[in-house]
Amino acid sequence: MTDAQPTRAQRREATAARILEAAQEEFGTHGDGATIRGIARRAGVDPSLVLQHYGSKQALFALAVRAVDDLDHDDVPRHLEEVLDVRLRELPAPTRALLRSMLTSPQAAEVMSTYLQERAATLAATMEDDRADTRAALVVASIMGVTIARHFLDLPGLSDARGSDLAELVDRWLDTGPDGPTPER
Amino acid sequence: MTDAQPTRAQRREATAARILEAAQEEFGTHGDGATIRGIARRAGVDPSLVLQHYGSKQALFALAVRAVDDLDHDDVPRHLEEVLDVRLRELPAPTRALLRSMLTSPQAAEVMSTYLQERAATLAATMEDDRADTRAALVVASIMGVTIARHFLDLPGLSDARGSDLAELVDRWLDTGPDGPTPER
DNA sequence: CACCTCGCTCAACAGATGTAGAGTGAAGGC
DNA sequence: GCCTTCACTCTACATCTGTTGAGCGAGGTG
């Protein structure tokens, strides 16, 4: 167990972390339209302190959104599983923040694009046909779409579907390659 | 051909239309974060006039975003085709506006959700198995994901893919039902 | 031609936002 | 036990936002 009397530096680091968490939550709820004041309120702190810790709203936003990458680099297989898992009840706050703001913030869009490209490349490596790149891109984009529909749009048929059903159907799609069934039309 | 000298009412209606177009374009670019002043600037008009025409930003936004529904009701099959067509080079402005803001505006999210439900219901009617609802929801959500990845994230493998390839692959997915191939794992 | 209608612009307000700097009070070294 | 450090708050400012009401000037009407 740690010190019962946390040192000043520890306290500082703790509130910094609390602010970052609050930022991820706020960005995850309001997208890049979240406000410094809102973040500060959620962290129980003065707005000015947020900037003293992270410099600017831009910098904090970049950090909140890039946390996804860090997770990725730390533990690749586990994170891949998490993101691919449509059964996930609630998305991690950084992921929510990234998804939520990717359509209104060019910065977030680029992070998401890079992330999807990595995922697609990994997936394409397990495929053999010549159109693997396009197929892999389709798969990751589809999973993103399902994730959005489920967590942000509350689309009936997804948000109330049994998780296992979704996973099974997505699995089936994943395996539908050029050697799969050919539509008649 | 219309009057060479447009009447005053006609002029008014024309600028109103120009403002709405500008609004769709601005909402399509900046999401619901678009500003009245930006819209007015694009329409070559005073900001105040925008409100005199449409009452409030909210109302204008609702109109810009609900234009998708109108299209839908006017010509169902054609619109369905357009939205399903991943080959589409550029999305219509109202569609762009709706997609762009659905993650940051609860109002837009609800419109999109309702729209996807209609699409899913139509699609589910053409399926026969008992999990048609879930499968149809997966399909429309996937198409949305591909559309986002292609038009807003510029995901390589989608944005530079031959349109016909995408259409073929999506078609194949569309037809992968419970009677399709079963993954081995 | 005179008058009025009305589409449109101008000017202004109240509130919110990001950000900077001064100040404060407690922790911690001497 | 005093004094410095520094995590934190307070106050302020310039800017941008949506929205309003007064005013102007060209278009239509008698």
Side-chain angles (χ1 to χ4, degrees):
Chain A
M1 50 199 79
T2 59
D3 289 342
Q5 289 297 102
T7 154
R8 186 142 66 164
Q10 283 175 333
R11 275 200 179 281
R12 176 174 173 79
E13 200 178 351
T15 64
R18 191 151 36 90
I19 290 173
L20 182 56
E21 281 174 34
Q24 290 166 344
E25 209 65 45
E26 285 289 303
F27 284 129
T29 305
H30 304 101
D32 59 327
T35 76
I36 295 273
R37 281 169 170 83
I39 293 169
R41 202 177 314 124
R42 183 184 284 264
V45 132
D46 188 89
S48 162
L49 189 61
V50 175
L51 299 175
Q52 284 179 26
H53 271 281
Y54 294 100
S56 73
K57 186 188 173 183
Q58 273 290 324
L60 178 55
F61 178 66
L63 217 68
V65 133
R66 243 172 265 278
V68 174
D69 275 19
D70 294 350
L71 259 181
D72 192 22
H73 293 342
D74 284 341
D75 190 345
V76 179
R78 180 178 152 72
H79 188 53
L80 173 62
E81 209 178 271
E82 273 189 357
V83 172
L84 283 180
D85 188 357
V86 275
R87 285 164 294 186
L88 208 59
R89 285 255 168 248
E90 189 172 5
L91 296 171
T95 306
R96 243 181 304 148
L98 181 57
L99 275 170
R100 188 77 90 174
S101 31
M102 72 181 177
L103 297 182
T104 37
S105 154
Q107 191 181 165
E110 210 208 293
V111 172
M112 179 56 99
S113 182
T114 306
Y115 173 72
L116 290 184
Q117 285 174 48
E118 290 176 11
R119 288 286 124 257
T122 303
L123 185 56
T126 72
M127 298 174 169
E128 292 185 348
D129 64 301
D130 49 341
R131 285 185 303 179
D133 286 347
T134 299
R135 281 182 52 217
L138 276 172
V139 169
V140 298
S142 296
I143 290 174
M144 179 184 70
V146 173
T147 305
I148 291 172
R150 182 153 216 246
H151 292 274
F152 294 135
L153 303 181
D154 288 326
L155 194 67
L158 288 188
S159 51
D160 55 5
R162 298 261 324 278
S164 51
D165 283 357
L166 291 187
E168 183 196 339
L169 288 171
V170 170
D171 259 0
R172 193 168 291 168
W173 276 3
L174 254 164
D175 288 351
T176 306
D179 47 352
T182 305
E184 291 158 15
R185 51 182 142 105
Chain B
M1 51 202 82
T2 59
D3 289 341
Q5 288 298 102
T7 154
R8 187 143 62 164
Q10 285 174 331
R11 275 200 179 280
R12 175 175 172 79
E13 200 177 351
T15 64
R18 191 150 37 89
I19 290 174
L20 182 56
E21 283 174 32
Q24 290 166 344
E25 209 64 46
E26 286 288 304
F27 284 128
T29 304
H30 304 101
D32 59 326
T35 77
I36 296 272
R37 283 170 168 83
I39 293 168
R41 202 177 313 127
R42 184 185 283 264
V45 129
D46 188 90
S48 160
L49 190 62
V50 175
L51 297 175
Q52 284 178 29
H53 272 281
Y54 294 99
S56 72
K57 185 188 173 183
Q58 274 289 324
L60 178 54
F61 179 66
L63 218 66
V65 132
R66 243 171 266 278
V68 173
D69 276 19
D70 295 347
L71 259 180
D72 192 23
H73 292 344
D74 285 339
D75 189 346
V76 179
R78 180 178 150 71
H79 188 53
L80 173 62
E81 210 178 270
E82 273 188 355
V83 172
L84 283 180
D85 188 358
V86 274
R87 285 164 295 185
L88 207 59
R89 287 252 168 250
E90 191 172 4
L91 295 172
T95 307
R96 242 179 306 147
L98 181 57
L99 275 170
R100 188 78 88 175
S101 29
M102 71 180 176
L103 296 183
T104 37
S105 153
Q107 190 180 168
E110 209 207 293
V111 173
M112 178 56 99
S113 182
T114 307
Y115 173 74
L116 290 185
Q117 286 174 48
E118 290 177 12
R119 288 289 122 255
T122 304
L123 185 57
T126 72
M127 299 174 168
E128 293 183 349
D129 63 301
D130 48 341
R131 284 185 304 179
D133 287 346
T134 300
R135 280 182 53 217
L138 276 172
V139 168
V140 297
S142 296
I143 290 173
M144 179 185 71
V146 173
T147 306
I148 291 172
R150 183 151 214 246
H151 292 275
F152 294 135
L153 302 182
D154 289 326
L155 194 67
L158 289 187
S159 52
D160 55 6
R162 297 259 326 276
S164 51
D165 283 357
L166 291 188
E168 184 197 338
L169 288 171
V170 170
D171 258 2
R172 193 166 293 168
W173 277 3
L174 254 163
D175 289 351
T176 304
D179 46 353
T182 304
E184 292 159 15
R185 53 182 140 106

